[in-house]
Amino acid sequence: MQEIKIVGILPCLADPEKIRFHAVIDTDISEVLPYLNRALKAAIYNHQAHTLTIVKEGRLITLYPRQVTAGKIQDEKDARQILDWLKNFINETYQKRETMEPDYQRHQRLGVLEIYKLLPGINCRECGQASCLSFAVKLCQEEVEITKCKRIFLADYTEKRKMLFTLLKDSGYLVPQAFHQTDEGK
Ligand code: SF4
């Protein structure tokens, strides 16, 4: 793999002082994802969807076969440093793959705060929980489904909803079928 090229930069929805970006990879990296998962040990790998989510020093990075999305990035320089690290990591892991066992386990759940920051944050309690944070804890543990939060379906939360549903789906959480085609964040 030679290049990961940034094709879009937007404000981060989870943290307005940061950015998110979308980049494309010049090679299909599906084959190397289980080996990256082995090397990282604490990633969220979804073998069915061919996605690998990494939390790196507070940044949330998701790898797809030919794309990378990332949120909570400091600035464009930080984005480029992350992509340089990723490129080296992917290439080094690919070269070592014959000495490694592929790992198909998910290992980690999403962090509560990763989910919470993409919820409406209005603590309306309509979901039966005392607050959005309580709901995020339950959702993180897969004790409730995202559809219990009716407010997230309001137009005001369209951007957050798309990003949250993409994050949940890519991390192997249950998401309504109607939202499986969203390309938010990519
Ligand atoms: S229904 Fe949604 S907005 Fe209301 S408290 Fe629950 S998670 Fe928060």
Side-chain angles (χ1 to χ4, degrees):
M1 191 261 295
Q2 308 259 323
E3 189 183 22
I4 310 177
K5 187 175 173 190
I6 294 174
V7 292
I9 293 182
L10 290 165
C12 178
L13 292 173
D15 185 341
E17 294 190 353
K18 296 184 178 168
I19 61 167
R20 58 187 159 126
F21 71 78
H22 170 206
V24 292
I25 308 173
D26 66 357
T27 307
D28 187 326
I29 62 163
S30 306
E31 185 193 345
V32 79
L33 290 176
Y35 296 94
L36 298 175
N37 190 35
R38 169 70 63 192
L40 287 163
K41 296 187 179 71
I44 306 168
Y45 179 53
N46 184 341
H47 185 57
Q48 206 176 10
H50 293 297
T51 62
L52 183 78
T53 299
I54 305 165
V55 179
K56 183 174 168 54
E57 293 156 10
R59 304 166 185 87
L60 194 63
I61 305 159
T62 301
L63 306 187
Y64 301 84
R66 298 196 75 123
Q67 300 180 66
V68 180
T69 63
K72 296 204 259 179
I73 304 296
Q74 303 287 351
D75 50 29
E76 212 169 318
K77 183 179 169 202
D78 189 32
R80 295 191 193 288
Q81 284 173 346
I82 287 284
L83 291 182
D84 284 346
W85 170 76
L86 262 182
K87 194 171 91 172
N88 290 336
F89 179 49
I90 292 168
N91 284 334
E92 283 170 14
T93 305
Y94 182 76
Q95 281 164 10
K96 287 191 294 192
R97 73 193 184 288
E98 286 178 5
T99 65
M100 300 170 73
E101 281 288 319
D103 183 349
Y104 301 99
Q105 302 303 309
R106 180 164 72 166
H107 292 297
Q108 291 278 357
R109 294 176 190 272
L110 283 170
V112 171
L113 289 180
E114 314 302 341
I115 293 173
Y116 170 69
K117 286 177 178 174
L118 293 171
L119 289 171
I122 53 174
N123 302 325
C124 70
R125 302 185 175 192
E126 287 175 7
C127 57
Q129 302 302 318
S131 65
C132 293
L133 187 58
S134 306
F135 184 80
V137 171
K138 295 273 185 189
L139 185 57
C140 182
Q141 298 300 323
E142 298 177 272
E143 291 173 9
V144 294
E145 290 178 17
I146 183 59
T147 49
K148 292 283 181 197
C149 173
K150 304 297 181 204
R151 299 287 182 121
I152 194 83
F153 294 92
L154 298 177
D156 283 355
Y157 306 113
T158 300
E159 288 299 302
K160 281 189 162 186
R161 180 178 68 244
K162 287 179 179 177
M163 180 162 263
L164 177 59
F165 281 27
T166 298
L167 185 62
L168 291 171
K169 175 173 64 70
D170 293 344
S171 304
Y173 286 72
L174 200 59
V175 168
Q177 191 68 30
F179 296 92
H180 278 210
Q181 299 306 316
T182 178
D183 62 357
E184 173 61 25
K186 291 189 189 178

